[in-house]
Amino acid sequence: MEGHKFRTQLFINGKWVDPLNGGKKIPVINPSNEETICHILGGSEADVNAAVSAARAAFDVQDGPNAWSTLSGADRAKYIRAISKGVSDKKEMLARLESLDCGKPHREAQLDLDDVAGCFEYYAGLCEGLDARQDENIKVADDRFKSVVQLAPLGVVASIIPWNYPLLMAAWKVAPALAAGCTVVLKPSEVTPLTALEFAQIVSDAGVPPGVFNVVNGYGPDVGGPLTRHPEVDKIAFTGSVPTGSTVMKEASATIKNVTLELGGKSPIVVFDDADLTDAVEWIMFGIFWTNGQICSATSRLLVQEGIADRLLKRLAEEAKKIHVGDPFSPQDPSIGPLVNETQYKKSIELH
């Protein structure tokens, strides 16, 4: 993106900062041509400590202009809607960065950004609903006792996201955490960090108090590991591979953290002989080739009733031949773009 000034630092306590120990220069590669887009600065455990401390301090503010966890749902919703608007206002820039960074077709990235804005709008609505549920009475058998529901934010949330839906995955973790009154430390994938860094500025521009949202770039062992082990982190939300998810769970268990894992899968699509073959082919193609085929819910297994197997496979082969692989910004509107990097390309080749 000619003339674009890429954000490369860490975002901690409302400020753009360099890593405390100098940091590692991490190349961000355009998978379409394997050229270096820029270098981001990768943090370390010291930066994780700084970010978690900022998030904890922000969570503990009880009143005044920088309060967050004690705000009403209606007041937090105003900030969250401002974030949604900020994403919508910068949709085209963010979509172009997403395609540049991870290789998905530009039209797909645009749809992702619509979903990001919609996600924050949705949680703004849920946030407003919290107020009506606060102190809700629960009838108990013994009238001498009174039982009410108290809704309270959990604390500091560490969000660790993958490279296939960089900003959308971040939204799915950050929006509910902020809506609940939690504070967040986000670790984007070192492969696709650009939109997460732009998003940090959107959050700041929305007026969210310092320390409520922080971003620490870096490799998994340098940043992800210290985040999952940190005693001041109350919850971890992780999306990624099964082996890494297992490690996250083990390390979080030492301090009994709340953990949410969204891990890789092998999702079958099942076609019976009464199915509409045209519809079946359409959704099989969508399921396996959307996001360049790099998605945990990809329909990577196909189970077909024998009576229609030959006809279905013939139709699938015909459709597959129409796939155009190309630059995400190509005027030919490619069906799929490149795999995200050489590592994923080699893994795919080894599987076949």
Side-chain angles (χ1 to χ4, degrees):
M1 293 171 60
E2 189 175 351
H4 183 81
K5 183 174 175 56
F6 296 101
R7 299 187 186 279
T8 60
Q9 296 172 288
L10 317 182
F11 186 76
I12 298 176
N13 204 25
K15 298 178 181 177
W16 293 102
V17 296
D18 288 341
L20 290 171
N21 297 325
K24 297 177 180 177
K25 291 182 69 175
I26 301 174
V28 181
I29 307 298
N30 179 348
S32 296
N33 54 24
E34 296 188 296
E35 293 179 358
T36 300
I37 301 168
C38 65
H39 288 82
I40 61 165
L41 298 176
S44 66
E45 186 166 1
D47 303 295
V48 169
N49 292 340
V52 173
S53 293
R56 174 58 61 188
F59 182 81
D60 289 342
V61 175
Q62 296 297 302
D63 51 40
N66 288 333
W68 183 258
S69 62
T70 57
L71 289 179
S72 68
D75 285 338
R76 280 199 300 273
K78 295 174 186 176
Y79 291 100
I80 295 171
R81 283 207 167 88
I83 294 172
S84 176
K85 184 178 185 303
V87 171
S88 294
D89 290 346
K90 295 187 175 181
K91 171 185 170 179
E92 185 54 32
M93 179 269 285
L94 292 168
R96 292 187 69 81
L97 279 180
E98 205 83 308
S99 292
L100 186 73
D101 207 3
C102 72
K104 68 173 60 185
H106 183 229
R107 59 183 164 77
E108 287 189 25
Q110 290 174 313
L111 293 173
D112 287 356
L113 266 297
D114 289 336
D115 286 346
V116 171
C119 179
F120 279 92
E121 187 66 31
Y122 171 77
Y123 279 102
L126 289 187
C127 195
E128 291 168 332
L130 291 176
D131 295 337
R133 296 172 57 201
Q134 195 67 275
D135 296 323
E136 182 180 1
N137 282 301
I138 298 177
K139 184 174 177 56
V140 292
D142 192 331
D143 291 338
R144 293 174 299 168
F145 297 93
K146 181 179 181 181
S147 178
V148 298
V149 174
Q150 285 279 327
L151 300 172
L154 184 61
V156 177
V157 176
S159 299
I160 303 173
I161 59 171
W163 42 258
N164 56 344
Y165 285 91
L167 195 51
L168 186 54
M169 286 289 185
W172 288 355
K173 290 171 171 49
V174 173
L178 294 183
C182 297
T183 56
V184 177
V185 179
L186 174 69
K187 183 216 171 292
S189 168
E190 68 277 6
V191 177
T192 55
L194 298 182
T195 49
L197 295 171
E198 291 291 344
F199 177 72
Q201 189 60 50
I202 290 173
V203 173
S204 181
D205 292 343
V208 174
V212 170
F213 179 72
N214 309 271
V215 181
V216 182
N217 311 315
Y219 294 112
D222 297 336
V223 174
L227 259 180
T228 59
R229 294 189 297 268
H230 201 291
E232 289 293 312
V233 169
D234 300 293
K235 176 179 174 62
I236 298 173
F238 170 83
T239 298
S241 70
V242 172
T244 305
S246 177
T247 299
V248 168
M249 183 173 280
K250 288 175 184 175
E251 295 189 335
S253 67
T255 48
I256 319 296
K257 300 183 192 304
N258 290 270
V259 178
T260 302
L261 303 176
E262 183 188 0
L263 308 179
K266 295 290 288 182
S267 307
I269 187 164
V270 182
V271 186
F272 294 103
D273 59 10
D274 61 349
D276 183 300
L277 288 192
T278 300
D279 286 345
V281 168
E282 177 185 352
W283 287 106
I284 292 167
M285 295 290 290
F286 175 86
I288 194 60
F289 290 115
W290 190 255
T291 312
N292 302 344
Q294 301 173 127
I295 179 173
C296 60
S297 58
T299 51
S300 50
R301 290 184 295 153
L302 180 58
L303 306 178
V304 186
Q305 198 159 353
E306 285 184 335
I308 59 168
D310 290 342
R311 283 186 293 147
L312 181 68
L313 292 176
K314 181 181 178 182
R315 293 277 297 276
L316 275 176
E318 292 170 353
E319 290 301 311
K321 289 175 182 177
K322 299 176 185 177
I323 290 175
H324 167 51
V325 182
D327 186 292
F329 301 102
S330 167
Q332 283 76 38
D333 190 21
S335 310
I336 59 175
L339 297 184
V340 71
N341 58 21
E342 185 178 6
T343 300
Q344 293 303 313
Y345 172 78
K346 287 181 177 177
K347 284 183 180 179
S348 298
I349 294 301
E350 288 169 4
L351 288 172
H352 293 85

